Amino acid sequence: MQKTQLSEDDVDTTLGEAYPRIIHSISISSLSDDIQEIFSFQNDQLVSVEYAITVPESEFQTVLQTLAHQAAELLEDLLVGENQILEGKTTRWEDEQKNSLILSFPDTDTSEERVIFLGLYRTKA
């Protein structure tokens, strides 16, 4: 927290003191909304980094097409199952150490925006 200049307000311990999370918002110039960035720890080690990205419904299909194209180019050899990004379905990739990247599209309570959830998960040692 000291290195990133985050405050105690950015630390979430709802999962217990042994599983702290740092949650804060970041901005990316090409996206209109802030992104929730979540760092999760277990036994004082980083175990996952997750991003919750909000996209206007009007841009959702275009974003899916871009993600599907980029994922096919960059992650094809690591794909587990089928690339179902264009259908708005969860797609997973995994490396040799079983670390995984999961891209999912949870339902939202509004028809005005959609959420894209990207998670990077470290294999438990």
Side-chain angles (χ1 to χ4, degrees):
M1 284 181 27
Q2 292 170 345
K3 288 183 181 181
T4 59
Q5 299 177 3
L6 296 172
S7 71
E8 290 291 327
D9 295 336
D10 295 312
V11 178
D12 174 22
T13 56
T14 56
L15 300 177
E17 294 291 330
Y19 303 98
R21 298 183 299 175
I22 296 173
I23 303 172
H24 68 108
S25 295
I26 61 172
S27 297
I28 296 179
S29 60
S30 61
L31 297 174
S32 57
D33 291 334
D34 283 346
I35 298 169
Q36 288 294 312
E37 183 175 51
I38 305 162
F39 295 94
S40 298
F41 299 86
Q42 188 173 359
N43 299 324
D44 292 328
Q45 293 188 7
L46 180 66
V47 294
S48 69
V49 179
E50 300 165 306
Y51 298 91
I53 306 161
T54 303
V55 177
E57 180 66 41
S58 60
E59 298 173 19
F60 187 65
Q61 288 302 318
T62 302
V63 171
L64 288 183
Q65 290 173 1
T66 301
L67 288 172
H69 175 74
Q70 290 177 349
E73 283 184 0
L74 300 172
L75 300 167
E76 183 176 345
D77 295 341
L78 304 175
L79 183 63
V80 175
E82 294 181 39
N83 182 337
Q84 296 184 319
I85 296 171
L86 286 176
E87 292 83 30
K89 295 184 180 177
T90 299
T91 301
R92 182 170 170 258
W93 298 267
E94 193 173 89
D95 68 11
E96 301 82 28
Q97 292 82 31
K98 303 296 184 194
N99 298 306
S100 59
L101 181 145
I102 298 173
L103 189 60
S104 60
F105 313 92
D107 290 330
T108 57
D109 294 336
T110 174
S111 61
E112 297 172 7
E113 59 186 20
R114 296 291 304 265
V115 173
I116 298 171
F117 196 75
L118 172 66
L120 305 163
Y121 304 94
R122 190 188 75 142
T123 302
K124 298 213 182 342

